Amino acid sequence: MNIHFLYRPEKIELFSQKRYILLLVLYPTVQVVIWFFMSIYFTPTDDWQGLKLVQDAMHERYDRTVVRGDTRQRNTPLQTSVPVLFVYLPYSAVIFFPFFGLPDCHMPELFPVLTSIFPAWDALVIILLIKVKSYGVLRLV
């Protein structure tokens, strides 16, 4: 997005200068390198140590603990299935089926509809799966 902002008619001559092109290449590269070293420096080396940090933070902030096999973990595949079904699978079918000579199954016509109803389904799943919000829905009903 930054390059789109910079690529304006009055700035077009900058894109032909080698120093400016180098700057455009170095800017994200330096960010990646900094992010990489910060993640190595600030990330605990042991997974149990990291889990303990998350558990302590959750208990301190929300008075809850993270437990393996908890219903919240089971709700998370359910939550990820909505974008998979309504966005990623249709998009992949529209893009890749023609390359493999597979029938399109009317996916080009269905893709805009499925993509446009995704936000509603996503919100519905979140509302129904989060206990606090589902209690509010039950009170409304």
Side-chain angles (χ1 to χ4, degrees):
M1 292 302 293
N2 292 340
I3 290 178
H4 290 293
F5 176 73
L6 294 172
Y7 196 74
R8 296 182 299 209
E10 62 269 8
K11 304 269 185 185
I12 197 79
E13 68 275 354
L14 290 174
F15 284 88
S16 61
Q17 296 176 6
K18 290 183 180 183
R19 291 176 66 191
Y20 191 73
I21 294 171
L22 180 66
L23 177 70
L24 288 176
V25 170
L26 284 178
Y27 180 72
T29 305
V30 169
Q31 286 183 339
V32 167
V33 169
I34 290 171
W35 184 263
F36 175 76
F37 285 113
M38 285 179 62
S39 65
I40 288 176
Y41 181 76
F42 291 113
T43 303
T45 57
D46 189 9
D47 285 339
W48 293 106
Q49 184 183 6
L51 181 61
K52 180 71 174 135
L53 288 172
V54 170
Q55 286 176 335
D56 292 344
M58 290 291 284
H59 183 68
E60 180 181 318
R61 180 175 278 178
Y62 303 108
D63 195 26
R64 297 186 188 257
T65 56
V66 178
V67 180
R68 291 184 182 200
D70 193 2
T71 57
R72 288 171 289 220
Q73 277 187 329
R74 282 177 266 159
N75 290 342
T76 303
L78 190 55
Q79 283 179 301
T80 55
S81 66
V82 173
V84 168
L85 290 174
F86 289 99
V87 178
Y88 301 128
L89 287 178
Y91 179 77
S92 298
V94 168
I95 297 296
F96 294 115
F97 279 16
F99 288 122
F100 298 115
L102 298 171
D104 65 0
C105 304
H106 301 287
M107 197 53 69
E109 293 89 18
L110 292 173
F111 177 67
V113 175
L114 291 173
T115 305
S116 64
I117 63 174
F118 159 70
W121 279 105
D122 193 40
L124 184 66
V125 167
I126 291 170
I127 288 170
L128 294 176
L129 290 181
I130 296 176
K131 285 185 179 181
V132 175
K133 293 187 188 294
S134 61
Y135 290 141
V137 170
L138 287 175
R139 277 193 230 147
L140 285 173
V141 174

